[in-house]
Amino acid sequence: MPAAAYLTGFGRYLPGPPVENDDIAGILGGDDPVTDRIRRRVLSANGIRQRHYALDADGRPTELNEELAAKAVTAALEDRGLQAHDLRMLACATTMGDVLVPGFASMVHGRLGGGPMQTLSVSGVCTSSLAALDAAAAKIRLGDHPRAAVVGSELASRSLHDSRFDGRREGLDSHFLRWMLSDGAGAVVLEFQPHPTKPSLRLDWVRQVSLADRHPVCMTAGMRGDEARPGDTWQDLSVADAEAAGMFVLRQDIGMLGDLAEEGIRQFEQLVDTGLVDIGRLDHVLCHYSTNAFRDIALDAIRRRAPSLVEDRWFSNLETCGNTGSASIFIALEEAWRTGRFAVGDTILLAVPESGRFSFAFAHLTVVGPDTRKDTST
């Protein structure tokens, strides 16, 4: 039989209580008339009703990103009935870790414990979690490891607080993300065989493609403009000068987001045309997107190819969990799995667009029954 990899445990961690739209400004700051008007405009379009921040009521950090990741991995291990010492690999994805050095996975491993294991830090934005999943699955299929944990984790709120803006009048490109992003972590356990007593998700394939050679930067922090040049990155300046230049403000060129949606649809259609996605057997779609406007565009595109895919087969928890970047797809998968949306034999497509410099990741899963053979992976 060909080597395979199976998702056997699922976990998530969302810090603090849910934050409603009317309570955001009290935590992040920014209650002046101009900022208030932008916030209401963004929130009315994105459809997010609740999100979570690792901040207290005064906007002070309460947890580290590595803590969010470790708690999500622990939840996935508990769901599988395992502990950290059962792992042989830990693959971690995030946009920004807590420290510059060491790598994020090393910090998460130090927090998690579990003894010697391979670690992998994957940086990027939203697609980095599926890239980490792909890498861990490759090691399992090769037979290098029987079991791994994969986690996507984000603590964006530290970059969104009013103190980052320091009195500057910023435009919509920076305030857009300020009212879109939030904190959280999602994790899965990956093994070479299905769960011995419960259904699992077989990972059929992962596909990731970058179109950075065709598009300028869309989402950026740490540099001037949309192209990195010597002398124009945050590492070329003092921290104070970089802060004064607004380099630590996370920005997005919202004028490019329509192109992102169109490119994502083309990538999906290529998967259909090459036969990787069988429209006639596609039962569920979990798509990460930042606003409900993109949901409608993506759903319409899929329906053109799969008219029978009714809306209740489409799942997202953007409205209640917020946009947590690389963590979003695993947070959605955990909820869909826990709430019983899938049945043995169902197929699932995970779809993640990334606006950083236009990249896309997809994963195809099939629900399989338990493996009744004795579990020999330990």
Side-chain angles (χ1 to χ4, degrees), residues 119-204:
T119 60
L120 174 68
S121 299
V122 181
S123 63
V125 197
C126 303
T127 63
S128 59
S129 53
L130 289 189
L133 180 69
D134 193 24
K139 298 297 286 185
I140 286 175
R141 287 171 174 148
L142 283 170
D144 288 355
H145 302 302
R147 187 178 291 123
V150 184
V151 60
S153 183
E154 303 287 3
L155 207 165
S157 59
R158 291 179 297 196
S159 299
L160 309 176
H161 194 270
D162 199 49
S163 59
R164 287 289 189 188
F165 294 80
D166 196 26
R168 292 185 300 274
R169 180 65 60 85
E170 296 286 349
L172 185 58
D173 283 0
S174 58
H175 280 292
F176 178 76
L177 289 174
R178 190 177 181 191
W179 313 119
M180 297 284 281
L181 301 178
S182 54
D183 305 336
V188 297
V189 174
L190 200 62
E191 301 187 72
F192 78 100
Q193 59 187 8
H195 194 291
T197 61
K198 299 190 298 184
S200 305
L201 296 181
R202 186 183 69 224
L203 180 60
D204 301 317

Side-chain angles (χ1 to χ4, degrees), residues 22-356:
D22 291 340
D23 299 324
I24 298 178
I27 296 175
L28 297 183
D31 56 0
D32 62 276
V34 173
T35 304
D36 181 69
R37 184 166 62 250
I38 293 174
R39 181 177 67 253
R40 294 184 184 279
R41 174 184 171 185
V42 173
L43 291 174
S44 66
N46 65 25
I48 300 173
R49 296 183 286 106
Q50 295 178 334
R51 76 283 295 148
H52 293 255
Y53 298 124
L55 302 173
D56 64 18
D58 296 318
R60 294 186 295 261
T62 57
E63 297 179 85
L64 295 170
N65 196 3
E66 67 181 61
E67 292 182 89
L68 308 188
K71 290 177 180 179
V73 171
T74 298
L77 288 168
E78 290 177 351
D79 180 58
R80 174 59 177 89
L82 300 172
Q83 297 181 4
H85 64 72
D86 294 308
L87 296 175
R88 295 298 178 267
M89 181 177 180
L90 175 65
C92 301
T94 192
T95 302
M96 291 183 286
D98 302 295
V99 298
L100 298 178
V101 177
F104 185 60
S106 295
M107 300 303 289
V108 176
H109 181 207
R111 176 78 55 175
L112 180 70
M117 65 181 70
Q118 179 181 353
T119 60
L120 174 68
S121 299
V122 181
S123 63
V125 197
C126 303
T127 63
S128 59
S129 53
L130 289 189
L133 180 69
D134 193 24
K139 298 297 286 185
I140 286 175
R141 287 171 174 148
L142 283 170
D144 288 355
H145 302 302
R147 187 178 291 123
V150 184
V151 60
S153 183
E154 303 287 3
L155 207 165
S157 59
R158 291 179 297 196
S159 299
L160 309 176
H161 194 270
D162 199 49
S163 59
R164 287 289 189 188
F165 294 80
D166 196 26
R168 292 185 300 274
R169 180 65 60 85
E170 296 286 349
L172 185 58
D173 283 0
S174 58
H175 280 292
F176 178 76
L177 289 174
R178 190 177 181 191
W179 313 119
M180 297 284 281
L181 301 178
S182 54
D183 305 336
V188 297
V189 174
L190 200 62
E191 301 187 72
F192 78 100
Q193 59 187 8
H195 194 291
T197 61
K198 299 190 298 184
S200 305
L201 296 181
R202 186 183 69 224
L203 180 60
D204 301 317
W205 51 258
V206 179
R207 294 293 184 274
Q208 190 270 342
V209 60
S210 168
L211 303 181
D213 61 330
R214 304 181 191 176
H215 298 275
V217 173
C218 177
M219 179 180 175
T220 180
M223 67 183 191
R224 292 192 181 100
D226 60 3
E227 185 177 350
R229 300 179 180 86
D232 282 342
T233 76
W234 71 273
Q235 294 197 71
D236 300 316
L237 306 176
S238 69
V239 172
D241 288 344
E243 180 81 23
M247 288 187 175
F248 298 123
V249 173
L250 195 60
R251 307 173 190 277
Q252 186 162 57
D253 185 342
I254 60 175
M256 297 175 62
L257 295 181
D259 294 337
L260 180 73
E262 292 179 3
E263 291 281 19
I265 291 168
R266 280 193 286 269
Q267 293 301 316
F268 165 73
E269 291 180 338
Q270 286 183 21
L271 296 176
V272 175
D273 293 339
T274 58
L276 279 173
V277 173
D278 182 351
I279 286 296
R281 296 197 63 250
L282 182 58
D283 297 305
H284 305 275
V285 176
L286 276 64
C287 183
H288 165 60
Y289 48 85
S290 59
T291 173
N292 279 345
F294 293 145
R295 174 202 61 191
D296 298 338
I297 293 172
L299 190 55
D300 287 345
I302 291 177
R303 279 176 171 166
R304 287 198 297 269
R305 303 299 295 263
S308 61
L309 187 69
V310 294
E311 191 164 351
D312 64 0
R313 295 286 182 160
W314 176 279
F315 180 76
S316 169
N317 52 15
L318 173 73
E319 294 185 359
T320 55
C321 295
N323 179 359
T324 52
S326 67
S328 289
I329 197 66
F330 288 160
I331 289 174
L333 183 61
E334 184 276 340
E335 183 172 334
W337 181 261
R338 173 171 44 83
T339 55
R341 292 183 66 89
F342 309 141
V344 172
D346 282 358
T347 60
I348 306 154
L349 179 68
L350 308 182
V352 181
E354 176 179 306
S355 63

